[in-house]
Structures are given as C-alpha cells and as structure tokens.
Amino acid sequence: MGELIVGIDIGTTAVKVALFTGRHELIDAHVTEHPMTRGKPSWAEQDPRDWWQGCLRGIDAVTAGAAAGAVGAVGVTSQVNTHVFVDARLRPLLPAITWQDQRCAEIARELNRTVTAERRHEIWGRPYAFDASGLIPRALWVARNAPDTWRATRWVLSPKDYVNALLTGEIASDAMSSIGLVDTDGIGYLDAAVALVDGLGDRLPPLARPTDTVGRTGLPGLACHAAVGTMDALSEMHAAGLTTPGRGMISCGTSLVVAGAAELSMPAKGIVTFPPVDGLRIHAGPTQAGGDALRWWARAGRQPIQQVLADAAAVAPGGSGVVFTPHLMGERAPLWDPDVRGGFLGLSTATTHAELGRAVLEGVAMSGRQVLAEVESACGKPLDPITFSGGGANSELWAQIFADVLGRPLHRLATRDYSAVLGAALFGGIGAGIRPDRTAPPIDRIFTPDPGHTRRLDPLFEIYQDSYPALREVHAKLEKWRSATS
C-alpha cells in the first residue's frame, strides 16, 4: 500500500487538494475557487458540480508526479450545514443550500413556536433551538416549496459525502456532520427529530466513523482507501491537536470557528458539543462571518484586501472608538439569531475609511473573544495553548489584533492554509493504517498580546457585547420590514 495521502477540503470559497507524506509533510497543493450565488435576499447557493470539477483538477495536479500506487488513502472534509439534494443517480436537483443561507428563518421560527421547549428537551436531552441552517427546516422548505424535487430526492448529502459518493459510488456520512440529527453518543439518528419531516429518514445517509472506509476510489491513478471524513472545523481541530484535553483553536476562514477539547461538558450559551470520542469532548462555536466580513468590506470599498489591511495597519488599536458587529447574514454562535445584522457603532464626521477597516478586523476578533468565553465555560477551564489558523492567519496584522483583543497568546499553525486539508488526510491515513494520531502540530510563530492595546480594546469589547441585547428588537423590526418589502 502507498504511503502518500491526499486530503480534500470543499470550502465555502474554494476546493483545496493537497498531497502529504506518511509523516504529514506537505508535498504539493492545488486550489480551485468557486462562486457563491446570492440570487435572492438571504439566499446563498453553490453548484455542487463546481466542487467536483475542483476535486478532479486538484487530484490531477497534486498526484501528477507520484508513482503509480504511491497514494494509499484519501480523506475529504467540507463545509457544513450545506445540503445537496440528489436523485438516485447522484444528480443535484437544486443548487446546494449553503450554511450562510437564511431562507428558512421563518420555518425555524415556526418550529420553535410549534414544537414546545419541553418536547425539544425530550428529543435532544437539552435546550434546543431550530436554526435556519439546520436540515430539518431546510427539508421542510424543499418539501413545501418544491414538492416534486422532494419526491425525486434520494439522498440529502453534505458536500464531502457528495464527493465521496462520486469518488467511490458509496453513500455514508459521520455523526459529527449530521448536526442536530444524532443522539448524544453519536451512534444513530434521533428518530423523533427525523420524524419532524415526513420522509426525511429515508433520505439520510448511513452513519459511520470519520476514519471508516466509504469504499475505494474509482479514479484512474487513484485506486485507494477513501475515508468517511467529517466537517471542516473538526478536521482542522484534529490537525490543530485538539485530541488532547485543554487545547483550544481559533480558525479564521470564511467564518470564524472557536473550539476547545475537554473531558468535561459544562453548561454554556450557544455552544455545540460533539459526541465524545475516547472520553474526549469537543466544544465549538461557529460564527457567520470571519474572513467574509473582510471580503465584504474590501468589495464595498472597491479595494483589494491587501490594501484594506495596509490602511488598517496605520490606525492605532481601537481607532476612533468605532465598534463593528460582523453579523452580515445573521449570527450563529453564541447568539443564533438569523435576524440580527451587522453595523458600525460610534461613527462621526471624523471617522476615516481606514478606521472603519480597522474596526472590521477588530470586530471579527471580538466575536471570537465572545465565543471563546462560552467555549471555555463548556470546557470547565481556560484553554492553553490556543492555535490560530485559516486564511485570516496569513495576515500578521490580523493575528496580532486577535491576540490583543483576546489578551491571550496565539500559536499560529505552520499549516494554517491547509489545516482542514491536513485533518482530512489524517482521517484517511488513520483509517488506512498509514499513521496513528498526532497531538503536537508545528507552530511557526506565537503572537503575544500588547497589554496597552488590550487595555484600550477591553472597553470597546464591552460595548460590542452590550450592542446585541440593546438592539435586538431593532434588528427584529428591520427583518420584519425586509420580509414585508421583499
């Protein structure tokens, strides 16, 4: 069996494919970008065929110089809650509804009204709120608005499961990616939850462990073990060493993901706790916009992202006292509110464009600090070390801003651009027996907070936290107006 491993990450903006050695050293990588379509307010869709073409191009590129049979495993990870409705021949019946899509917000509110809190506690064993990105509201939306499509749907798949199905011809998923649908032990689907949508249970893929084999790939030159895999955040956590209690992680990609590993599971607001693995629990909070907030501001100002970063670097921490809330398409952790929207607080005629760019960077970091507090509450203790990864970690300025806002050192991963890809490869390699687990990821730099900067930013963070409860009803009124006029 070959000792090389291919990792694939189907992200929100691109498909990343990389080839690693059995010791997880990067040999080659390839990136294929794909578009997001926002045809209606609050909609965010992608074409699953773009993902597949990106995978094929990436696999061809990174394995071109490898000897026949050198690749022993492939692992795939992807964005979640993104859902693909396919027929029995794996043909997409609709554009994929991505995790950013909020079209089902009203259905989620309806479910929260009609399924009592007591009943939700009976089903999930804890307080539970339906969210617009969850599969239950999504499946109800398709069944109501496109009944012919729902009848033709054989499987509802995540992006990684769709790609694995095309690679191997087999259908499988993992419990961690099936958010809100599995029992607390991650063994099977929650029958009472699945029954909320007529026919949903017949359309869900069988569950397996991330390291289990889906099948063998059928591509020329890539006949090897393919692992079930898991979501991008958990893949990145695996690569970041969250296989050891007490470690934490912040990933600044399109969204922001904050996570920690612990042996405990304590009550915390708005945090997702995954089924335990070997007694270890992962507590995590995904936001709605990390790098996406920076991308939005660059687009709105008709500037390249690098120019926004350069201008922001010339502004002192805290700038002119402007606070930015990055809730551009609602917010996930820890608020879980599809109606809230982003904004700038503290504008004046003296506020400059550069100061607003700095506020965007700081606001995203403040969202990370807010989630980190809840993650640490769930873990029952502070996390140390905290790794930093994702595309946002490539900016020295942004990494330092995160450290200053958090008031905590951040250990930037050497594989920050390909952490989720590496995690996918690790699951593939472990399943194929190529290499056991690893707990110490390589770090290329530690960003230490400047105490003076942290003291200046702390009061602004308090304002950031206070803004949501103070303006919640205002955002709800705005959403009613948008719904009425759209």
Side-chain angles (χ1 to χ4, degrees):
M1 180 179 65
E3 289 293 313
L4 302 183
I5 313 167
V6 170
I8 301 173
D9 175 19
I10 305 160
T12 306
T13 60
V15 172
K16 295 180 179 180
V17 183
L19 182 66
F20 298 92
T21 68
R23 294 191 297 176
H24 311 134
E25 299 159 329
L26 179 64
I27 298 173
D28 198 6
H30 184 273
V31 179
T32 304
E33 294 185 352
H34 47 245
M36 180 81 76
T37 302
R38 304 182 189 274
K40 295 183 180 181
S42 298
W43 288 34
E45 300 177 320
Q46 289 183 337
D47 188 340
R49 294 170 296 186
D50 289 341
W51 306 332
W52 178 236
Q53 291 304 312
C55 290
L56 294 178
R57 284 194 286 270
I59 291 169
D60 285 346
V62 303
T63 62
V71 177
V74 59
V76 187
T77 188
S78 72
Q79 50 178 300
V80 293
N81 283 320
T82 291
H83 300 108
V84 189
F85 295 76
V86 301
D87 64 13
R89 297 174 60 185
L90 301 178
R91 295 176 300 189
L93 300 169
L94 293 170
I97 306 175
T98 75
W99 58 272
Q100 288 187 331
D101 194 290
Q102 295 290 301
R103 75 183 69 178
C104 301
E106 183 53 44
I107 291 179
R109 283 190 285 268
E110 172 193 324
L111 288 166
N112 284 320
R113 289 192 304 267
T114 57
V115 182
T116 66
E118 293 76 15
R119 179 56 178 154
R120 282 178 269 149
H121 197 281
E122 288 175 5
I123 295 173
W124 284 277
R126 65 185 190 280
Y128 183 85
F130 293 98
D131 177 71
S133 65
L135 180 53
I136 291 173
R138 294 263 175 90
L140 276 175
W141 186 92
V142 174
R144 291 176 182 179
N145 292 278
D148 290 343
T149 297
W150 181 244
R151 283 190 290 271
T153 297
R154 177 62 189 91
W155 302 107
V156 184
L157 304 174
S158 73
K160 73 172 181 68
D161 300 333
Y162 170 74
V163 166
N164 266 334
L166 294 180
L167 282 171
T168 68
E170 302 294 332
I171 303 293
S173 190
D174 69 298
M176 288 80 160
S177 299
S178 305
I179 299 171
L181 296 176
V182 297
D183 56 39
T184 54
D185 294 324
I187 297 173
Y189 290 110
L190 287 166
D191 291 339
V194 172
L196 293 172
V197 184
D198 186 32
L200 177 57
D202 297 331
R203 293 165 171 84
L204 294 176
L207 294 177
R209 296 176 301 178
T211 54
D212 285 348
T213 298
V214 180
R216 292 186 64 83
T217 59
L219 296 179
L222 191 70
C224 65
H225 161 105
V228 171
T230 189
M231 68 171 73
D232 50 4
L234 275 169
S235 295
E236 193 158 6
M237 293 172 205
H238 197 69
L242 265 68
T243 51
T244 301
R247 296 185 66 96
M249 180 202 83
I250 296 177
S251 172
C252 185
T254 302
S255 67
L256 197 71
V257 178
V258 184
E263 295 170 322
L264 298 175
S265 181
M266 307 296 289
K269 175 187 174 185
I271 297 303
V272 177
T273 297
F274 295 99
V277 177
D278 298 328
L280 186 71
R281 290 185 176 272
I282 298 293
H283 306 284
T287 72
Q288 195 76 339
D292 215 31
L294 173 58
R295 191 175 297 111
W296 161 77
W297 180 245
R299 185 173 65 248
R302 298 182 180 180
Q303 287 184 310
I305 287 177
Q306 290 305 317
Q307 186 61 53
V308 173
L309 293 170
D311 291 347
V315 178
S320 60
V322 173
V323 174
F324 172 71
T325 56
H327 315 314
L328 300 174
M329 288 190 69
E331 186 55 287
R332 295 191 289 174
L335 307 180
W336 297 101
D337 185 345
D339 294 341
V340 66
R341 289 296 182 269
F344 291 101
L345 303 172
L347 296 177
S348 76
T349 56
T351 304
T352 67
H353 191 270
E355 288 171 340
L356 294 179
R358 178 88 186 201
V360 168
L361 300 176
E362 291 171 346
V364 172
M366 289 176 186
S367 73
R369 177 173 169 178
Q370 186 178 42
V371 178
L372 178 61
E374 299 299 336
V375 168
E376 290 187 323
S377 293
C379 291
K381 64 178 182 179
L383 300 170
D384 183 41
I386 299 173
T387 63
F388 191 48
S389 60
N394 286 317
S395 167
E396 307 266 316
L397 171 67
W398 213 356
Q400 187 60 54
I401 287 174
F402 265 91
D404 291 341
V405 168
L406 268 63
R408 309 274 286 276
L410 288 181
H411 297 235
R412 187 171 67 176
L413 293 180
T415 56
R416 56 191 172 275
D417 281 319
Y418 297 100
S419 292
V421 191
L422 174 58
L426 290 176
F427 284 118
I430 293 169
I434 293 176
R435 187 171 170 85
D437 201 355
R438 186 186 64 169
T439 59
I443 304 300
D444 77 345
R445 180 177 169 184
I446 298 176
F447 290 84
T448 303
D450 182 306
H453 294 174
T454 301
R455 282 193 298 271
R456 178 173 175 82
L457 290 163
D458 276 348
L460 297 180
F461 175 66
E462 290 183 17
I463 294 169
Y464 176 94
Q465 288 189 299
D466 291 343
S467 68
Y468 175 70
L471 297 173
R472 183 175 183 177
E473 293 305 316
V474 173
H475 288 296
K477 289 178 181 178
L478 274 172
E479 181 58 28
K480 287 182 180 179
W481 177 84
R482 280 190 291 264
S483 298
T485 57
S486 62

